[in-house]
Amino acid sequence: MTPEEKLKDLGYPLPPAPAPVGSYIPAVRIGNLVTTSGQLPMRDGRLASTGKIGGKLSIEQGAEAARVAVVNALAQLAVVAGGLSNVKRIVRLGVFVNSADGFVEQPKVANGASDLLVAVFGEAGRHVRAAVGSNELPLDAPVEIELTAELKQ
């Protein structure tokens, strides 16, 4: 089963890669590594949710937003890699969490994305990670995610 098929079976079909919302490129390849720009939890051109985790949104709502955002990162990766079957492993995940004052559970929000990557890629989906709280994110998004992956030779 391809990674794209696994995503679909998990309820997260790979969307078309979202267009950049600023002056940047969505992903870049350097050798066998691909790094994506930060991706928001967009569905059909709109944010799937907005607001701060630990305020308007719960940890589970944040984890769901992280899953949607990481799928958008995978869509960017797929474009550069020529499909997700060309991914050898996920190397690093950066998760920025739009956090209410006093919210300190950013890793639980980031687990939404991390667990989905492992479900799709198995052991090759395990990665190093940073889960960082932010007082604001673009468009009031609850999360923003960037990833780095190694491609097969």
Side-chain angles (χ1 to χ4, degrees), residues 21-126:
V21 296
S23 298
Y24 60 90
I25 57 174
V28 64
R29 179 176 180 167
I30 301 171
N32 285 334
L33 294 178
V34 175
T35 299
T36 69
S37 294
Q39 299 294 307
L40 302 177
M42 303 290 274
R43 278 194 177 131
D44 301 320
R46 300 180 54 223
L47 281 171
S49 60
T50 60
K52 294 186 180 299
I53 312 301
K56 175 183 168 186
L57 301 175
S58 68
I59 290 172
E60 181 46 46
Q61 288 171 309
E64 174 60 17
R67 288 186 283 272
V68 173
V70 82
V71 169
N72 287 329
L74 290 174
Q76 301 295 357
L77 174 60
V79 169
V80 175
L84 295 179
S85 293
N86 293 322
V87 173
K88 182 175 181 180
R89 72 168 296 128
I90 304 298
V91 176
R92 182 183 185 281
L93 190 67
V95 182
F96 302 89
V97 179
N98 189 356
S99 300
D101 287 344
F103 182 73
V104 296
E105 301 291 339
Q106 290 83 6
K108 290 181 180 177
V109 173
N111 284 345
S114 292
D115 293 345
L116 184 60
L117 291 172
V118 173
V120 171
F121 294 101
E123 284 301 307
R126 295 199 185 279

